[in-house]
Amino acid sequence: MSPRHDVRGPVLIVGTGLLGTSLGLALRELGVEVGLENRSPSSLHLARDLGAGEPAGPGFQPRLVVVATPPDVIVPHVAAALRAHPHAVVTDVASVKGGLAEAVASEVGDAVARFVGSHPMAGRERSGAAAADSDLYQGRTWVICPHATADADAVAAVRRLAISVGSLPVVMDAGEHDLAVAAVSHVPQLVASLTATRLADLPTEALALAGQGVRDVTRIAASDPMMWSAIFAANARSVLPHAEALLDSLEDVVGALRTAAEEGPGAPGVMKAFAGVIEGGRRGVSRIPGKHGGAARRYAEVTVFVPDKPGELGRLFAEIGAASVNIEDLRLEHAAGAKLGVATLSVLPARVAELTAHLEELGWRVMA
Amino acid sequence: MSPRHDVRGPVLIVGTGLLGTSLGLALRELGVEVGLENRSPSSLHLARDLGAGEPAGPGFQPRLVVVATPPDVIVPHVAAALRAHPHAVVTDVASVKGGLAEAVASEVGDAVARFVGSHPMAGRERSGAAAADSDLYQGRTWVICPHATADADAVAAVRRLAISVGSLPVVMDAGEHDLAVAAVSHVPQLVASLTATRLADLPTEALALAGQGVRDVTRIAASDPMMWSAIFAANARSVLPHAEALLDSLEDVVGALRTAAEEGPGAPGVMKAFAGVIEGGRRGVSRIPGKHGGAARRYAEVTVFVPDKPGELGRLFAEIGAASVNIEDLRLEHAAGAKLGVATLSVLPARVAELTAHLEELGWRVMA
């Protein structure tokens, strides 16, 4: 299943955390020579022991350098790599890209042409080399942000790297990238955390009413404070306009809630304010692309009830697998305290009847 | 699989939308006599044709009345039912419970003893009788809010109703219920809609970077504006303190973003403000109960890569089903434009190695 690889090595990876070590593992599997660098010898040796590459000695001559250090020390590492390896292409993997090329240029001048910033949109809840996996980049978007004076060869080298480890390269202006991730990643993280904070002091009985909605909204709130604080700080300029707009809308909502609380739900303007919020959300969510990046596609949903007994979910999977209907998506819910789980299957509308009949015949309670 | 039933009928259902019609279907399956009422004859006849019961004639004598009308007309319908059926127990299914018993008492006096408000936490994205299903209440929490002068027999009747259709009854004070749903349902809906609104004017290339995080945070933003506006208006007093606290926190965040944007990410206080937001969210999300209502339980995750070819997901389901490992949860993601989906399976940590080996043996790319 390995994609064809045409990374031109050797590759030097600076920083052996989750992203750096995973990249080393993936490149080693492809047979690319990988050198590793890390300030901490123990972290470096762990990455080597896992098979991500060998510690890069003083004579190591990379053709491509990937800086995968924490975001606040990227510029000096990129500059050092451009100076130490005068023929190598250098990229980084940080999640904020604006101003990076300018900062590098102010250190190394024209050599910035060999630097192309990038952002593989890969990660997991655990961090560090111990959580690394050669498949981390499979199926992920890898954004490449060439600056105005970047060499075309350097851009091509980063693109080959992304494709070789299973990612989908997307070229984008650095400022546009930062605004995009502010809206589709950083603001959602912010509101998930703020919403979850509201749960901290609730009585236990109240939390027992938590359903799938609040679970979905707050899932990403279980994130790493250090990493996210650094991201908010680094991308403050792009997050700010979205956060300000959010604040304005929330002020309007609080005003309408106050009116409704004081004058009753029928007070003038109340319903219009609330309906506007929900309508705005409907417009926005409909723009998120569906599977395969196409326009959001309407699948029909079939709900199956799964008794809470060992093996039942496995039996359902096996019997869905045996159906001749393609399942596009699957979502599982558990009501707190209930003896039943609810599985929601997404299928093409034309296949609903067939799947429902198949499952009912096998004894499942189904709701189409 | 039907639960044992001891609902004492006949049951009158007032309002034949999604909730009323689904309840009628479930009760008819149990053999309970069901009468139906609706202002709209065509909606009434649809519910009858679906098998939810028979239109209630003038002589119909229910022992239990369920008012399942829109929330803004519940009080007159409950009062009318208490007057028309002087020996019947009356309940409703609206999602806001505070003040209801008081409003009913001001219309019918002591007869309010036969009224017990309740809130089955069931629903789906579609509404109306056409979307009804006898299994709608299976595995859901059904909150019962007895007021101080409610008859114990009336409370017991509503509890039997909930259990008979497969729900889990939970008794709670009306005010506590409203504060609870404000935090675990209404505020999450509000922030999901406000966050999704931020996507409405983004360039298409930016939306292509949307990952699973923003999809989860905004999933419920595709909700019905009319229904949600009525809920916000009716529960304004309980939603308001949460919305105000959210506004305060968001103001602090905007302040920190401004400082970081103007003075740089290293400005004093910036990191502390952001870390506080993420930490608060981590504390809150850790309080959401896990499966079965117990304390949130840490499952280990196994990630499987699913090539985007017809049948591959079905094959995965079949092979997971054949494994002897109990799958506690499953989440599917698709990177926009990628040729690969990512399935995340939750299992007990002790079973990770076994499941990973089983799937790898069958040729799957697995990340544990």
Side-chain angles (χ1 to χ4, degrees), chain B residues 64 89-90 113-116 144 150-160:
Chain B
L64 176 61
V89 169
V90 179
R114 290 183 284 115
F115 167 68
V116 176
I144 302 173
D151 283 346
D153 284 358
V155 178
V158 178
R159 181 190 281 274
R160 283 194 301 269

Side-chain angles (χ1 to χ4, degrees), chain B:
Chain B
M1 283 185 47
S2 299
R4 205 173 58 81
H5 113 77
D6 56 358
V7 174
R8 294 171 200 159
V11 174
L12 174 62
I13 297 174
V14 182
T16 52
L18 173 69
L19 291 176
T21 306
S22 296
L23 187 62
L25 291 171
L27 291 173
R28 288 301 304 131
E29 279 189 6
L30 297 170
V32 178
E33 185 184 351
V34 176
L36 302 172
E37 261 184 41
N38 201 305
R39 264 190 355 190
S40 147
S42 56
S43 168
L44 182 65
H45 295 150
L46 174 58
R48 178 201 58 196
D49 293 350
L50 292 168
E54 290 298 319
F60 191 74
Q61 293 290 347
R63 294 181 69 182
L64 176 61
V65 181
V66 181
V67 175
T69 61
D72 49 347
V73 291
I74 282 180
V75 173
H77 277 108
V78 167
L82 289 167
R83 286 196 197 99
H85 309 291
H87 301 291
V89 169
V90 179
T91 189
D92 75 299
V93 298
S95 55
V96 180
K97 305 265 61 103
L100 205 52
E102 293 77 0
V104 170
S106 77
E107 299 229 359
V108 300
D110 290 350
V112 75
R114 290 183 284 115
F115 167 68
V116 176
S118 74
H119 176 207
M121 302 191 71
R124 47 197 321 199
E125 279 171 32
R126 290 177 293 143
S127 59
D133 194 290
S134 63
D135 284 330
L136 187 74
Y137 298 94
Q138 289 287 344
R140 301 296 175 177
T141 301
W142 189 316
V143 184
I144 302 173
C145 300
H147 54 93
T149 60
D151 283 346
D153 284 358
V155 178
V158 178
R159 181 190 281 274
R160 283 194 301 269
L161 173 70
I163 292 170
S164 294
V165 297
S167 289
L168 187 85
V170 171
V171 172
M172 200 177 259
D173 169 79
E176 282 168 15
H177 165 273
D178 289 358
L179 278 168
V181 292
V184 304
S185 169
H186 306 171
V187 167
Q189 177 65 50
L190 179 61
V191 299
S193 294
L194 292 176
T195 308
T197 300
R198 301 282 85 234
L199 308 176
D201 300 323
L202 287 191
T204 305
E205 308 79 59
L207 284 155
L209 301 189
Q212 200 57 33
V214 67
R215 282 167 212 263
D216 284 351
V217 171
T218 61
R219 185 179 63 82
I220 55 173
S223 295
D224 178 27
M226 194 60 211
M227 187 187 84
W228 273 100
S229 302
I231 290 174
F232 288 144
N235 204 26
R237 265 179 227 182
S238 300
V239 176
L240 182 58
H242 286 293
E244 285 174 332
L246 204 64
L247 189 64
D248 284 349
S249 308
L250 187 55
E251 271 169 1
D252 292 347
V253 171
V254 167
L257 286 168
R258 271 193 201 123
T259 306
E262 283 161 18
E263 300 171 29
V270 162
M271 287 297 278
K272 189 182 163 196
F274 294 145
V277 169
I278 304 285
E279 263 307 339
R282 283 163 65 91
R283 263 201 316 280
V285 77
S286 72
R287 294 205 57 219
I288 299 182
K291 191 181 164 189
H292 306 174
R297 191 165 163 194
R298 265 325 226 186
Y299 290 110
E301 296 193 335
V302 174
T303 302
V304 187
F305 297 90
V306 187
D308 183 25
K309 291 188 291 191
E312 284 298 285
L313 199 54
R315 183 166 74 86
L316 176 65
F317 287 151
E319 293 175 355
I320 291 173
S324 53
V325 176
N326 219 29
I327 307 295
E328 303 290 340
D329 205 351
L330 180 144
R331 209 169 63 235
L332 281 176
E333 307 173 33
H334 310 280
K339 290 277 176 287
L340 208 62
V342 177
T344 306
L345 313 172
S346 298
V347 295
L348 289 175
R351 313 304 296 276
V352 167
E354 187 180 343
L355 180 67
T356 304
H358 170 81
L359 292 173
E360 281 181 338
E361 209 164 278
L362 292 162
W364 296 97
R365 293 185 86 105
V366 182
M367 185 162 107

Side-chain angles (χ1 to χ4, degrees), chain A residues 275-292:
Chain A
V277 169
I278 304 284
E279 263 308 340
R282 283 163 65 92
R283 262 202 317 280
V285 77
S286 72
R287 295 204 56 219
I288 298 181
K291 191 182 165 188
H292 306 173

